[in-house]
Amino acid sequence: MEKPRQGFAGLWNISFGFFGIQIGFALQNANMSRVFQSLGSSIDNLSALWVAAPLTGLLVQPVIGHLSDRTWLGRLGRRRPYFLAGALLSAIALIAMPQSQALLMAAMLLWMLDASLNISMEPFRAFVGDMLRKDQHTAGYAVQTAFIGAGAVVGSLFPWLLDHLGVANVAPAGEIPDTVRYSFWAGGAALFGAVLWTILTTQEYTPAQMRAFAEEAEPIATPDLSRRALAPSFGWIGVGLLVALLVDLWAMEKEVYLLAALLAGYGVASIAAVLLARAGRGQTMLAHIVGDVAAMPPIMRRLALVQFFSWSALFIMWIHTTPVVAQYMFGSADPASAAYQAGGNWVGVLFSVYNGAAAVAALVLLPRLSARLGQARTHALCLLAGAAGFASFLVVRDPRLLLLSEVGIGIAWASILAMPYAMLASSLPQAKLGVYMGLFNIFVVLPQLLVATIMGSVMTRFFPGDPIWTMAFAGATLVVAAGATLRVRT
């Protein structure tokens, strides 16, 4: 039995909520470094303060994916309860964020905001697979990417637009400018409204219908939770202990201990899952998630490597673009100065350009390139365009010329948001689409966590006070991701 084909209105309604979610992410990505520095953080501590974002995604996404696969709340459905809960919490966090009076409050609200955005976002990825036929997956993720780009443009331009409307863009030391304050409040309302649109205009297929659609789906791999699965678990614990040892040996930043704890923690969780399975309790959520990690399809493993390096570059960009542009293009590293705040507003413009370019590329460029070159080669080419955009930061000093750099980054961003999911969605078993999408997104947040814990140590040791080299790191990781993409066979 085949799912009904969705028209343009159906594709629009399925993904419109992502427009609002991306407004929230755009406000977070373009302004949190500015918020932290306005509240007194030094540039060397930005990575540590940002660690909340990837950590919450790492913990939330697999759990939400697992739960949403098993949820059915009558008329509200399977994925939509999570859309609603995440949107409500995200709106509250966005409204509260500009009221922060201390770094700790802002960091805690970032944690809440990122967790809530992930609660809504993760089921949206699976929602496309739930609602669309396989031959519409590419179109579905392209439309979703277009909404992501459009939402990010709106979110990124808020402070710049308000500044041009006469809203105060400079605040006393230790306070957040009104342009940022009002932008977060408007973003909270827009996010909730857009997600509510998708909830009210879509109707999910019932469990009985989904079972009928899945009659010819690929079989679900059986996770290995036997005694022999313990060996890799002890390996993860050993790697975590080694990283912790290197923190002291190499005088690394203390936040790297978090990375060590997560590596060792996964090993401990794996051991617990195996022991639960051997005790006849293999149906627990922990056992299922750990087993699903071990049973990932081969194409998912190869795409995970691509995602790891791609998102490393993106997270470097989100953390460091504001201090780089303010220092090198506007001539100030002082968050209390008008020049720094003008640089922060220009970063919002730059981010709107790369997101706007992504929206256009998703609907116009990617389908044509994919038809001629194939999905993997198209993705590799787009990643190289992004690498060139990052490399240009090393030589460009006119902030207006960076608009061209952002076009290349936007092409890469469009492909990162669409092509891996299009390649993956048709290869996953429908019954585990939510949890596998959540696990796939681990390889989105793991590199972010790595950047948040390692980059501060690297910059302090090798490039103190010279953040421009973070853009070189970002470009290099996209080149590596492009090479890994060419190993993917769909």
Side-chain angles (χ1 to χ4, degrees):
M1 181 177 177
E2 190 70 78
K3 296 174 186 175
R5 189 172 185 84
Q6 295 282 351
F8 180 77
L11 295 175
W12 175 289
N13 293 337
I14 288 168
S15 291
F16 186 71
F18 231 124
F19 173 74
I21 292 172
Q22 198 59 34
I23 289 177
F25 272 119
L27 288 168
Q28 170 185 299
N29 293 339
N31 293 285
M32 282 314 301
S33 289
R34 183 180 182 181
V35 168
F36 288 145
Q37 288 191 282
S38 295
L39 294 175
S41 172
S42 71
I43 189 171
D44 292 333
N45 292 329
L46 286 181
S47 294
L49 290 167
W50 270 87
V51 75
L55 180 60
T56 50
L58 180 68
L59 298 175
V60 167
Q61 292 198 21
V63 172
I64 294 299
H66 173 87
L67 293 175
S68 69
D69 281 339
R70 291 160 172 76
T71 295
W72 184 257
L73 295 182
R75 295 181 65 182
L76 195 53
R78 176 182 296 101
R79 316 290 182 188
R80 291 180 299 165
Y82 299 93
F83 300 167
L84 181 60
L88 181 59
L89 292 172
S90 298
I92 292 172
L94 284 168
I95 292 170
M97 180 69 75
Q99 302 302 106
S100 299
Q101 299 297 316
L103 277 173
L104 179 60
M105 180 179 178
M108 293 299 293
L109 284 170
L110 174 60
W111 196 300
M112 175 181 172
L113 175 60
D114 203 83
S116 304
L117 290 171
N118 275 287
I119 290 171
S120 283
M121 183 194 73
E122 196 287 325
F124 258 104
R125 296 291 191 191
F127 193 53
V128 173
D130 288 346
M131 301 297 292
L132 299 180
R133 302 151 50 114
K134 287 186 177 183
D135 61 357
Q136 285 195 293
H137 283 169
T138 299
Y141 285 110
V143 170
Q144 191 174 88
T145 298
F147 276 127
I148 290 172
V153 169
V154 173
S156 299
L157 280 178
F158 265 138
W160 177 86
L161 180 61
L162 290 175
D163 181 26
H164 282 70
L165 292 176
V167 178
N169 191 49
V170 179
E175 296 185 16
I176 298 170
D178 285 344
T179 51
V180 176
R181 189 186 309 273
Y182 297 155
S183 295
F184 273 66
W185 293 344
L191 184 154
F192 188 76
V195 173
L196 193 61
W197 176 280
T198 288
I199 292 171
L200 295 177
T201 59
T202 57
Q203 184 67 45
E204 296 186 69
Y205 296 117
T206 66
Q209 289 174 311
M210 294 299 288
R211 286 193 294 271
F213 295 143
E215 285 179 352
E216 298 181 4
E218 295 184 12
I220 300 173
T222 302
D224 180 12
L225 294 176
S226 63
R227 184 191 299 266
R228 64 184 180 183
L230 289 174
S233 303
F234 287 110
W236 285 109
I237 295 174
V239 172
L241 294 175
L242 177 61
V243 171
L245 179 64
L246 293 177
V247 174
D248 285 329
L249 186 63
W250 291 352
M252 302 172 73
E253 299 294 325
K254 298 305 181 184
E255 60 264 21
V256 182
Y257 279 124
L258 178 60
L259 179 62
L262 287 171
L263 292 170
Y266 176 72
V268 172
S270 299
I271 293 172
V274 172
L275 295 178
L276 285 170
R278 291 173 62 190
R281 299 173 60 191
Q283 297 305 309
T284 62
M285 182 169 64
L286 176 63
H288 272 288
I289 292 177
V290 171
D292 290 333
V293 172
M296 285 191 298
I299 188 174
M300 185 172 170
R301 293 178 184 274
R302 296 198 174 195
L303 284 171
L305 184 64
V306 175
Q307 291 289 82
F308 180 88
F309 286 105
S310 301
W311 284 85
S312 295
L314 295 170
F315 203 60
I316 290 171
M317 175 184 71
W318 292 328
I319 294 177
H320 294 284
T321 300
T322 294
V324 166
V325 170
Q327 180 173 331
Y328 293 90
M329 287 74 173
F330 284 80
S332 177
D334 179 9
S337 69
Y340 179 94
Q341 295 298 339
N345 280 357
W346 188 248
V347 169
V349 175
L350 295 178
F351 280 14
S352 72
V353 170
Y354 90 72
N355 282 290
V360 174
L363 296 177
V364 178
L365 182 63
L366 294 184
R368 295 180 181 180
L369 280 180
S370 181
R372 298 190 63 178
L373 302 178
Q375 292 172 321
R377 290 181 180 179
T378 295
H379 191 45
L381 184 62
C382 291
L383 292 176
L384 291 177
F390 282 121
S392 68
F393 274 75
L394 299 175
V395 295
V396 170
R397 291 298 175 266
D398 183 343
R400 293 170 296 181
L401 293 179
L402 291 179
L403 296 172
L404 296 177
S405 307
E406 295 297 324
V407 172
I409 294 172
I411 292 171
W413 177 231
S415 192
I416 290 168
L417 291 175
M419 299 308 291
Y421 294 98
M423 287 187 273
L424 188 64
S426 299
S427 303
L428 295 177
Q430 186 70 54
K432 292 208 174 221
L433 190 57
V435 70
Y436 272 136
M437 284 295 183
L439 291 174
F440 189 57
N441 282 328
I442 286 179
F443 301 98
V444 169
V445 298
L446 269 180
Q448 298 177 40
L449 185 61
L450 186 65
V451 169
T453 54
I454 297 294
M455 186 57 68
S457 296
V458 172
M459 295 305 297
T460 300
R461 177 177 290 269
F462 298 106
F463 308 103
D466 205 8
I468 191 71
W469 292 103
T470 58
M471 298 295 110
F473 280 105
T477 58
L478 283 188
V479 172
V480 175
T485 301
L486 297 177
R487 298 181 62 248
V488 175
R489 297 290 181 269
T490 57

